[in-house]
Amino acid sequence: QTQLVESGGGLVQPGGSASLSCVVSGEGLDWDAIFWFRQAPGKEREGISCVSASGANTHYADSVKGRFTISRDNAKNTVYLRMNNLRPKDTAVYYCAVKPTFVRTFCDVRSLSMDFWGKGTLVNVSS
């Protein structure tokens, strides 16, 4: 059984930075594209970033491009999201998700159908 556990959420000042981690258990990540999503109350879940199984391809939503950086460490079964220049509109529950794929270069944040989801971690950007 694949499980994903996010961590790193909390209160962050506007303009500040935070780092999220997602540990995946139950499987290796060599054939998984990994995604970060976020959802604010009453809003649709938004794909914000992904990294391909190969690690060579990344994709970012326009809302976070240039501010967020996704990375992965397959040996640790962990994916990371570094968030810089945070804004109040970034306040949301952040989820990691896994999509197994035979295409090691696949990564598109418009993809919403994931095989496995974490339960999320809340990031609150506020003064």
Side-chain angles (χ1 to χ4, degrees), residues 1 8 17-18 45 47 56-57 80 89-90 92 118-119:
Q1 179 177 324
S17 300
R45 185 170 293 187
N57 302 85
Y80 307 93
K89 286 188 175 182
D90 293 320
K119 64 181 180 180

Side-chain angles (χ1 to χ4, degrees), residues 57-123:
N57 302 85
T58 59
H59 193 207
Y60 299 91
D62 289 342
S63 58
V64 306
K65 190 175 299 181
R67 299 188 297 122
F68 290 13
T69 303
I70 191 170
S71 61
R72 62 190 292 164
D73 187 337
N74 286 0
K76 297 181 179 180
N77 285 349
T78 302
V79 62
Y80 307 93
L81 185 69
R82 177 65 177 175
M83 305 183 294
N84 296 323
N85 300 318
L86 285 163
R87 308 161 180 168
K89 286 188 175 182
D90 293 320
T91 297
V93 176
Y94 285 72
Y95 302 87
C96 61
V98 166
K99 188 177 184 65
T101 178
F102 292 121
V103 183
R104 290 182 56 80
T105 58
F106 164 75
C107 178
D108 190 333
V109 297
R110 295 170 295 182
S111 299
L112 300 179
S113 181
M114 303 288 118
D115 286 55
F116 306 102
W117 293 86
K119 64 181 180 180
T121 184
L122 176 63
V123 176

